[in-house]
C-alpha cells in the first residue's frame, strides 16, 4: 500500500460511461484518443459539484444549483483575509458565531523553541541524499530535505555554493518543503515519531520563530498545500479520523509498560533499535499491535490464526478540511473546502488575484481537479486527473487559463488546457502537449507563470523539456516548441521554479544518491555543491550495478516490464540465486535509481529482478486498472511468470529463488509464498497485508478509501477479499519467511505481519518478525534502514547461498 497517497469500488468514470469491462484474461481495452482533441463537449468531464458536506433540509441552500456550495461552507457572514499591506487577496471566511457545520475547529498556532543546529552535533553522512527543493523568491537560496544527519531534516543554503544550515534539528522526519513567495517563511511537514501522521510547521529562513501551523491536536494529521502568491497565507489540509484518536500510549512514550509508556500491549520493555523474534512460538491471549520483547512472559498458549474482527464502519475516510492559514497569526484561518469520509484534499494553486483555488481530491485511480471560487466557494469545474505527483496544475497569471496534468479521455497523462471565463468556468478543453506511449509525470512552472517544465516517464526513465506557454503568435492555451533538457541521471523526482529564468530539479539515478541540480540558463544542469557527488554513492571498491530493462510475456499475453540487476563478479551464463523484488502501490513503478537495499543484496552474490506486475503505473491507465477486482489473481500469476522468465531467459538458478517486497509488494510476497509454494525457497515481506479483513479494520480511513477501489469493498466483496488473502491459504506455506514492520505503521498495521508469523509458527514453519522502532510505513532513519538492509540480506544469503541447493 503506498504511504504517500491520500487517495470504493466501481468503475473509473471519465466521460459519463463506465470503463470497458476486462476480458476473460483481465485485460482492459484502452481508451481511445487520437491527436490533439479539443474537448468542447462538457459531457467529457464531470458536472461541477459541491464538496460532500451534509446539507440540512432547513438550509437556505437546499435548492441551490450544482454549482452552489452547500452545507458546511454556506457562510452567511463572510469577512476578508489577507495582509492589508499587500492587497489583492480577499477570501470568504466562516462566521465564528454561526452554525458552520465544520466537524472540528480550525488549527491553532503552537510556538516552538528554536531547533536549528547546532551544526557540530550533527552526524554527517558522506553518501547522503538531498531532495524536495524549494527556492526563495530570488532563486539564490534553497530549502531542501537532506538525510546527512541520519534522518530526513530541513536544510537551507545557497544554490551555487557556500555553507548550508540546519533549520530543524528535531528527530521527526521531514516530508515536504515550501518557501513562501515573499521569502519570509519556510513551511514544511514532519512525521512525529517517524509514524504516519504528519503536521505542518513553518520557520524563518534563519531558523528562528519555529511554530506548528496544523496537526498539533491529538489524532489529527495535516498536509501542506500551496502558498498564496503574495505569501500572506499557506494552504493546509487537516484530517481528523472518523473514529477515536490513536492510542496515546503510542503517541507519547513514558515509563516502560504502563499507560503512556509508548510500548505496544504485552511489551515489558525494549532496547536497541528493534525487536527480532527468535524461533520460539509467539503466544498471546488477544491480538497485539507489535511483538513482545525478548524475555517477556507468555500468556495462555492460545494461537488465534485470525483475530476477531470489528464490524466494518459504514463509510471510510477522515473528515478533511482545507484552510488558508496566516503564518504570522494575525488573521484567523479561512476555510476553503470540507469533505467527510474523504480520501484526499489538497490545495494545489491559488490564482494571483485570489479569486480561484485549484484543489485535488479523490482516491487513487479516481483523482479529480476541482476549481473553486474563493468569494462564494462555488465549484466551477471538475476534471479527472492522473495519479502520481499531487501538484497537478496551475492558473495562468491572469487566471484566464488553466493548465492540468490529466489522463482524462486518454491512456497516458498529458498537458491539457482550457480558457476560463470571469466566473472561473472552463471552455474548450484541448491537449496542449502529449506523447504517444509516455506519461506526463511532472508539471512545474517558472515563477513568471509563462514557462513550464514537463517530465515524461518513458519506460521508467525521465525525459524533460521546457515549453513557453502562450508565446506571441499563438492562441491563449497554446505552447511553443519544446526545448529538451539533457539529464545527467535517469529519473527526475521534482521540478520547481527558482527565480527568474531558473529551475531546480531533484534527480535520482542508478549510479548516485538523490541530489538537486539547477538550470540557470539555456539547458545545462549544474549540481548543487551540497548534493553528494556521484562517486560518494557507495564506499570505494564496489560500484553500483546499472540495471538492464527486461520485458516479460505473462501467461495471458500481457507484456510486463522490469529491471534485472546482475550480481558483480559472476560470469554471463553462471546460474545465480535470484530475488524477485516487488514494489509497493500497487500503482508505484520500478525505476532505475540507486537502492541501498539492492546494493547490499547484490554484494552477497544474489541477482535481483524487479518487475512491474499489472497494476503498476508508467505503462498506461489500462495496465494500472488490469488488476482491479478478480484481476488481482492475474497479478499474483505475474509474479510466478516473472520468476520463470528470470530462469528461462536469464541466469537465475531455479532452485534458489526468493520473493521480497514492501507494502503492496509485501502482500504479493505473502500471497506468492502460499499460492506458489514450490517456486520460492524463502521470502521477505516488508509492511505487507496478510488478511484484507483485518487490514481494512486497522488501516487509516483514507487508505481504506483507496483500498476499497483497488482491492474490493470489505462488505460487498468479502468473498473475493477472503480468496485473495494470504492468511486463507496459510496451510500451503512450505518455506521460511521473514516479516519486517515499523512499529508505528498505521497504513498497514504491524498486526498484518504478526498474524502471518504466528500462524506460520503454529504450523511448524520457520518464521521471524523484525519490528523497527520509531518507524512507520516508510523506514526513514539511517540506523534502522541499515539494520533492515543487513537483516534482510543476511536472511536471503542464509537461505539461498549458504544452504545447499538440495536443502
Amino acid at each position: 500500500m503506498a504511504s504517500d497517497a491520500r487517495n470504493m469500488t466501481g468503475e473509473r468514470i471519465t466521460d459519463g460511461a463506465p470503463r470497458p469491462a476486462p476480458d476473460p484474461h483481465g485485460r482492459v481495452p484502452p481508451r481511445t484518443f487520437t491527436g490533439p482533441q479539443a474537448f468542447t463537449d462538457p459531457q467529457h468531464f464531470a458536472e461541477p459539484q459541491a464538496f460532500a458536506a451534509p446539507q440540512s433540509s432547513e438550509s437556505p441552500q437546499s435548492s441551490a444549483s450544482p454549482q452552489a456550495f452547500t452545507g458546511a461552507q454556506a457562510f452567511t457572514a463572510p469577512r476578508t483575509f489577507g495582509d492589508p499591506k499587500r492587497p489583492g487577496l480577499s477570501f470568504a471566511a466562516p462566521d465564528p458565531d454561526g452554525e458552520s457545520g465544520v466537524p472540528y475547529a480550525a488549527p491553532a498556532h503552537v510556538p516552538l523553541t528554536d531547533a536549528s543546529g547546532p551544526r557540530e552535533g550533527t552526524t554527517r553522512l558522506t553518501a547522503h541524499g538531498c531532495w524536495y527543493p524549494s527556492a526563495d523568491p530570488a532563486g539564490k537560496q534553497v530549502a531542501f530535505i537532506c538525510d546527512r544527519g541520519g534522518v530526513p531534516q530541513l536544510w537551507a543554503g545557497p544554490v551555487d555554493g557556500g555553507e548550508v544550515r540546519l533549520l530543524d534539528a528535531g528527530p521527526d522526519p521531514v516530508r515536504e518543503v515550501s518557501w513562501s513567495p515573499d521569502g519570509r517563511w519556510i513551511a514544511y511537514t514532519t512525521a512525529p515519531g517517524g509514524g504516519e501522521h504528519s503536521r505542518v510547521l513553518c520557520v524563518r529562513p534563519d531558523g528562528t520563530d519555529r511554530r506548528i501551523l496544523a496537526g498539533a491536536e491529538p489524532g489529527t494529521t495535516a498536509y501542506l498545500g500551496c502558498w498564496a502568491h503574495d505569501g500572506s497565507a499557506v494552504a493546509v489540509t487537516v484530517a481528523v479520523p472518523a473514529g477515536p484518536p490513536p492510542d496515546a500510549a503510542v503517541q507519547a512514550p513514558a515509563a516502560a509498560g504502563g499507560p503512556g509508556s509508548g510500548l505496544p500491549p504485552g511489551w515489558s520493555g525494549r532496547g536497541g533499535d528493534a525487536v527480532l523474534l527468535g524461533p520460539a512460538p509467539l503466544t498471546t491471549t488477544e491480538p497485539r499491535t507489535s511483538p513482545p520483547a525478548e524475555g517477556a512472559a507468555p500468556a495462555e498458549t492460545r494461537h488465534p490464526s485470525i483475530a476477531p474482527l470489528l464490524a466494518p464502519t459504514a463509510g471510510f475516510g477522515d473528515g478533511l478540511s482545507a484552510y488558508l492559514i496566516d503564518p504570522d497569526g494575525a488573521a484567523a484561518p479561512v476555510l476553503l473546502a470540507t469533505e467527510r469520509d474523504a480520501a484526499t484534499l489538497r490545495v494545489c494553486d491559488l490564482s494571483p488575484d485570489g479569486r480561484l483555488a485549484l484543489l485535488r481530491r479523490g482516491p487513487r485511480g479516481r483523482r479529480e481537479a476541482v476549481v473553486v471560487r474563493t468569494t462564494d466557494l462555488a465549484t466551477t469545474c471538475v476534471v479527472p486527473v492522473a495519479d502520481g505527483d499531487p501538484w497537478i496544475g496551475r492558473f495562468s497569471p491572469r487566471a484566464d487559463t488553466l493548465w492540468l496534468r490529466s489522463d482524462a479521455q486518454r491512456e497516458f497523462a498529458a498537458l491539457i488546457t482550457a480558457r476560463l471565463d470571469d466566473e472561473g468556468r472552463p471552455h474548450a478543453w484541448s491537449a496542449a502537449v502529449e506523447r504517444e506511449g509516455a506519461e506526463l509525470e511532472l508539471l512545474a512552472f517558472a515563477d513568471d507563470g509563462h514557462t513550464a517544465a514537463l517530465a515524461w516517464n518513458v519506460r521508467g526513465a525521465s525525459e524533460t523539456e521546457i515549453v513557453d506557454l502562450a508565446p506571441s503568435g499563438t492562441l491563449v492555451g497554446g505552447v511553443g516548441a519544446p526545448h529538451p533538457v539533457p539529464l545527467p541521471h535517469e529519473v527526475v523526482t521534482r521540478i520547481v521554479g527558482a527565480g527568474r529564468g531558473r529551475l531546480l530539479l531533484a534527480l535520482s539515478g542508478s549510479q548516485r544518491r538523490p541530489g538537486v541540480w539547477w538550470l540557470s540558463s539555456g539547458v545545462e544542469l549544474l549540481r548543487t555543491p551540497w548534493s553528494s557527488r556521484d562517486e560518494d554513492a557507495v564506499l570505494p571498491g564496489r560500484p553500483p550495478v546499472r540495471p538492464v530493462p527486461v520485458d516479460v510475456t505473462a501467461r495471458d499475453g500481457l507484456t510486463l516490464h522490469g529491471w534485472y540487476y546482475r550480481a558483480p563478479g559472476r560470469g554471463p551464463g553462471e546460474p545465480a540465486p535470484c530475488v524477485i523484488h516487488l514494489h509497493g502501490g500497487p500503482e508505484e513503478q520500478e525505476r532505475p535509481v540507486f537502492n541501498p537495499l539492492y546494493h547490499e543484496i547484490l554484494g552477497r552474490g544474489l541477482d535481483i529482478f524487479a518487475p512491474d506486475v499489472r497494476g503498476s503505473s508508467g505503462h498506461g491507465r489500462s495496465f494500472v486498472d488490469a488488476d482491479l477486482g478478480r484481476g488481482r489473481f492475474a497479478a499474483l500469476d505475474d509474479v510466478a511468470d516473472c520468476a520463470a522468465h528470470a530462469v528461462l531467459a536469464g541466469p537465475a538458478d531455479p532452485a534458489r529463488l526468493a520473493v521480497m517486497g514492501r507494502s503492496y509488494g509485501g502482500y504479493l510476497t505473502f500471497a506468492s509464498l502460499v499460492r506458489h509454494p514450490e517456486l520460492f525457497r524463502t521470502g521477505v515481506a516488508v509492511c505487507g497485508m496478510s488478511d484484507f479483513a483485518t487490514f481494512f479494520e486497522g488501516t487509516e480511513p483514507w487508505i481504506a478509501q483507496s483500498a476499497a477501489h483497488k482491492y474490493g469493498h470489505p462488505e460487498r466483496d468479502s468473498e473475493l477479499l477472503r480468496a485473495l488473502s494470504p492468511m486463507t491459504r496459510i496451510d500451503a506455506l512450505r518455506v521460511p519467511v521473514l516479516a519486517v514492520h515499523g512499529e508505528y505503521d498505521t497504513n498497514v498495521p504491524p498486526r498484518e505481519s504478526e498474524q502471518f508469523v504466528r500462524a506460520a509458527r503454529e504450523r511448524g514453519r520457520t518464521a521471524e518478525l523484525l519490528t523497527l522502532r520509531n518507524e512507520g510505513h516508510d523506514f526513514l532513519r539511517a540506523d534502522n534502514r541499515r539494520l533492515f538492509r543487513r537483516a534482510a540480506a543476511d536472511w536471503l544469503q542464509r537461505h539461498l547461498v549458504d544452504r545447499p541447493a538440495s536443502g
Side-chain angles (χ1 to χ4, degrees), residues 455-601:
W456 301 89
N457 183 332
V458 183
R459 290 179 59 100
S462 298
E463 294 182 8
T464 303
E465 58 193 16
I466 307 297
V467 298
D468 294 329
L469 305 178
S472 59
T474 66
L475 298 174
V476 173
V479 299
H483 303 285
V485 178
L487 300 175
H489 295 282
E490 291 97 327
V491 178
V492 180
T493 60
R494 183 165 168 80
I495 309 175
V496 294
R500 191 171 185 84
R502 280 185 171 184
L503 290 170
L504 289 171
L505 286 79
L507 300 178
S508 289
S510 60
Q511 304 297 297
R512 69 155 294 109
R513 304 274 177 155
V516 178
W517 272 252
W518 59 291
L519 182 69
S520 60
S521 61
V523 294
E524 183 182 4
L525 285 173
L526 301 174
R527 181 181 62 87
T528 54
W530 27 266
S531 294
S532 63
R533 302 174 301 171
D534 294 356
E535 55 266 33
D536 292 331
V538 296
L539 294 174
R542 182 164 55 85
V545 173
R546 190 182 296 275
V548 177
V550 174
D551 289 342
V552 177
T553 301
R555 63 190 65 185
D556 62 0
L558 184 66
T559 300
L560 312 175
H561 311 274
W563 299 88
Y564 198 95
Y565 296 76
R566 183 65 164 154
R570 288 192 178 274
E574 181 184 357
C578 182
V579 179
I580 308 299
H581 191 277
L582 305 163
H583 63 67
E587 308 91 336
E588 293 177 15
Q589 181 185 10
E590 188 67 31
R591 311 298 294 269
V593 298
F594 176 75
N595 187 330
L597 172 65
Y598 291 3
H599 188 73
E600 183 79 30
I601 294 173

Side-chain angles (χ1 to χ4, degrees), residues 350-389:
L350 296 165
S351 61
D353 59 11
R355 292 185 302 110
L356 301 174
L358 173 64
L359 298 95
R360 173 179 175 265
R361 72 177 181 188
R364 298 199 319 263
R366 294 188 295 158
R367 304 287 196 195
E368 294 176 328
V370 183
V371 177
V372 174
R373 286 198 303 262
T374 59
T375 52
D376 59 1
L377 300 182
T379 300
T380 67
C381 173
V382 179
V383 183
V385 293
D387 286 336
D389 187 71

